[in-house]
Every structure is written in structure tokens, then in C-alpha cells.
Amino acid sequence: MTADESELRELRASVREFLDSKSPEEAVRKLMESEPRFDPAVWSQAADQLRLPGLAIPEEYGGDGFGLVELGVVLEEMGRALFCAPFFATVLLAAQALLASGDRDACARFLPGIASGRTTATLAVAEDHGSWDPAMVSARAVPDGDGGWTVRGRKCFVIDGTTADLILVVARTVAGPTLFAVERDATGLAAEPMETLDATRAMARLTFDAVPATRVGAEGAGGRIMAKVLDIASVGLAAEQAGGARRCLEASADYARVRHQFGRPIGSFQAVKHKCADMLVQVELAEASSREAARLADEDSPDFPVAAAVAHACCSRAYMVAAMENIQVHGGIGFTWEHPAHLYFRRAKSSQLLFGGPAVYHERLLDRLGI
């Protein structure tokens, strides 16, 4: 199912109105210092009123069957508002991993709960080294003798790892990296929050000590699953970054109009004009690249993996440029705690590093190009 332009505008307007009401700066700051780092009541409203968790989940699993284009609109607005919720981990990582696995039984078991908003989920891949490459995974899974599996190891930088009801874990078997499902209340599972640069995106360190697990998909298929998930998640992250970059541009332009120096708005000075113009170029490039990648994904185009890598690189750069220039337009306000500029800078930097950083995603682009 694909929405037309008017429907996309209506979707954007509805999501923005909801987030303006539920995720103002005061709410974001309050949630940054709370546990869990999201409001369960607001999450329920997002699911019940707007059906956001099920937007891109197939109808056969209780979702609405839309694609990455529609999801991109939602993520742009969430990035713009720094929305604190388990949306990215649940919908972009866990749900896409289930779909990519091709395991219909697992999808039928878990996706309806995700689509309804009753189940939150996450994907645990990176370990102490921070790499999302399945080849770097050292966590192990072995058969338990009763048809199940047990997982041992440690995972780091797990988004919403302390609150997710379902954890999908990439662990190594004799056949190679494999995807497993672990329930929140499983014995032997321990979770502790990690203190990171960006407090608006909760991360956790998970320890698995012979934790009971259910295999998802074929044994040894973890590499194939993760390649697809990273392409989709990179485009989702790119949309979120584009939304944040757009908000930084808006904040800079608004401030440049009202802040006066030497009897005139600072926006009339050439240096400030250049900064805002450079931000505009970066933001529009980010939006164009992320939206084009989403379109190619929904069309199942063979060019999608390249477009996804391009969007990830463009949007990571654009958000960093916009966040840094926003600070400068505001007089170099930097990490002054009371001002939101540093919140966007923190999100921009953490998002840039989320899937490995510039060196990794540029290498991924070269790999997708076959170079």
C-alpha cells in the first residue's frame, strides 16, 4: 500500500500535531532523566490514536501495510521533536529483522503485538567493539537438548534494551551468525543502562548467561538478515536525521530574524546568511537522499542498497553540519544546558556513530557499489 502526496501531507500534519503536544522540550528533558526514558501513556496514544507502530507492518500481521516512504515521514517528525519512545528500536530494528528472517511462525507470534503497540522490542548485535557487523559477533548460542537454544555473551549499545519486551539477538552457532528471540523475563538475562552522549536515545548493556532463546529464521542466516535490516534501518535513521537537521535550520533562521546586533537583525549579516544558506543546502540534500532511498525500497529496486548507503552518509553529514552551525548562529552557545541546541548536537553525533561511524558507512557504500 502506498500513500499519495496529499495523504503524506495529512500524515505529517497529524504526527507533528501529536508530537508538538506530547513531546515539547520540557517533556524531552524530563524523560531524559527518568526510567524508563519514555512515557508509556504517550506510547499507547501513539499506537491507539495514530497506529504508528503498525504503520509499515504487513496487514497479515495486524499492521497497515504501508512502506518506508510513509515511515520516513513519521521518522522525520520524530527526529524534529527528539521524540523519546521505543519506536526506532521496535519498528526499524526488531520488526524489520523479523520480516527479513522469513520466519512466518516468528512473525505471526511477535508482529501483531508490535503492530498494536503492546509489545516493544529491540535488536542486540553490537558488543564491546560497537560494530554491527555480524562477522564480529562473539556471543554464542548452543542447542539445549530440548529443541531450544541457550545464549551466552554480552551486548552493548542496545537501544531501549532495559525496557524492551522482546530482544532479538544475533549470536554465533556452528553454522554462523544466527538470529534468536529472547523474552524480557528470561532467566539469566541482565540489563543495565549505559550512559551515552545522547540521553534522548536510551541504550543498555545486556548480559546473557545461558538464556533460553528461540531461533528466528534459518541457522547461519544472521549475516543475510542483518544486511537487509541495516539498509532499511539506515534509511529510517537518515529520515530521523533529516528531520532533526531541518529543525536546526528553522531554529537558526528564527533566531537570526529576532536577534539584533548593532541595530539590525543578525540575519542581515553576510556571515550569518552564509551559514544559513549552507545549512539549507545540506538539509535539502538530506531530505532528497532519504526520501529517494525510501521510494526505491518500496519499489523493491535493485538500486536500493546503494541509495540506502548514500542516504546514511548524506544525512549523517547534514545533521552534524546543521547542529554545529545552529550553535554558531546562536552565538556559540554550545553545551549550555538550558538551551536545546546541544540536545540536537548530541543526537546528531550519536546518530552519526550509531551503526559504526563515517568510516564504516562509507565502506558500506563502496561495498554496495561493488568497488
Side-chain angles (χ1 to χ4, degrees):
M1 188 185 301
T2 303
D4 59 29
E5 285 300 320
S6 65
E7 290 172 326
L8 290 177
R9 285 194 296 271
E10 289 178 11
L11 174 63
R12 185 181 299 279
S14 297
V15 174
R16 181 170 297 189
E17 181 181 4
F18 178 81
L19 294 177
D20 285 346
S21 169
K22 304 298 182 181
S23 185
E25 183 188 342
E26 312 86 71
V28 172
R29 289 183 179 276
K30 181 179 178 181
L31 291 171
M32 284 167 51
E33 299 175 355
S34 67
E35 190 60 40
R37 286 197 208 161
F38 72 97
D39 186 335
V42 172
W43 175 249
S44 295
Q45 290 169 353
D48 297 338
Q49 297 175 15
L50 299 180
R51 294 181 57 82
L52 296 184
L55 185 68
I57 290 177
E59 293 179 348
E60 64 181 298
Y61 300 121
D64 292 333
F66 287 101
L68 206 49
V69 169
E70 294 78 13
L71 203 55
V73 170
V74 174
L75 286 161
E76 283 184 21
E77 293 304 312
M78 288 184 173
R80 183 179 183 276
L82 294 179
F83 185 46
C84 297
F87 188 87
F88 189 88
T90 300
V91 178
L92 266 296
L93 295 177
Q96 295 303 322
L98 288 166
L99 291 169
S101 73
D103 189 326
R104 295 185 63 84
D105 290 340
C107 288
R109 179 182 175 187
F110 298 119
L111 285 178
I114 290 175
S116 69
R118 303 297 177 261
T119 300
T120 61
T122 191
L123 180 61
V125 183
E127 298 178 356
D128 290 338
H129 45 64
S131 173
W132 283 69
D133 184 352
M136 300 286 287
V137 167
S138 60
R140 295 280 175 176
V142 295
D144 63 5
D146 296 321
W149 296 78
T150 58
V151 176
R152 289 183 180 273
R154 187 166 77 163
K155 297 291 182 179
C156 298
F157 309 104
V158 182
I159 303 174
D160 297 306
T162 61
T163 56
D165 303 309
L166 171 68
I167 302 163
L168 296 174
V169 187
V170 176
R172 186 171 297 279
T173 70
V174 292
T178 305
L179 187 66
F180 294 90
V182 172
E183 304 280 358
R184 157 60 50 202
D185 57 359
T187 58
L189 174 63
E192 59 177 320
M194 295 180 69
E195 186 175 345
T196 61
L197 178 67
D198 177 19
T200 65
R201 199 190 306 273
M203 292 194 178
R205 182 179 294 106
L206 305 182
T207 303
F208 300 84
D209 185 7
V211 175
T214 303
R215 194 187 76 214
V216 177
E219 188 176 352
R224 175 186 59 79
I225 293 170
M226 281 306 303
K228 187 168 184 178
V229 170
L230 280 176
D231 283 344
I232 294 173
S234 294
V235 175
L237 180 64
E240 188 185 85
Q241 290 170 313
R246 171 66 70 176
R247 183 68 192 101
C248 289
L249 172 60
E250 292 170 354
S252 292
D254 290 344
Y255 185 75
R257 294 187 187 101
V258 300
R259 177 72 168 111
H260 283 65
Q261 282 283 14
F262 307 108
R264 47 194 284 209
I266 63 170
S268 65
F269 297 125
Q270 190 175 47
V272 177
K273 287 181 181 178
H274 285 177
K275 286 186 180 297
C276 291
D278 290 343
M279 291 169 69
L280 177 62
V281 170
Q282 290 290 330
V283 169
E284 294 199 338
L285 177 61
E287 291 175 343
S289 62
S290 67
R291 293 171 185 177
E292 175 68 4
R295 183 186 66 81
L296 292 174
D298 290 350
E299 293 176 356
D300 201 21
S301 169
D303 295 329
F304 168 61
V306 172
V310 169
H312 190 189
C314 287
C315 294
S316 293
R317 172 176 169 77
Y319 199 1
M320 282 302 302
V321 169
M324 290 189 295
E325 294 291 30
N326 184 39
I327 289 172
Q328 294 305 312
V329 171
H330 281 83
I333 200 165
F335 282 81
T336 301
W337 183 252
E338 293 78 13
H339 198 277
H342 79 98
L343 299 180
Y344 286 91
F345 177 83
R346 288 166 182 256
R347 173 62 74 87
K349 190 61 181 178
S350 69
S351 296
Q352 182 191 47
L353 300 175
L354 181 57
F355 295 135
V360 171
Y361 58 65
H362 286 140
E363 178 128 355
R364 189 177 297 130
L365 173 58
L366 294 176
D367 178 67
R368 299 296 190 269
L369 289 168
I371 298 176

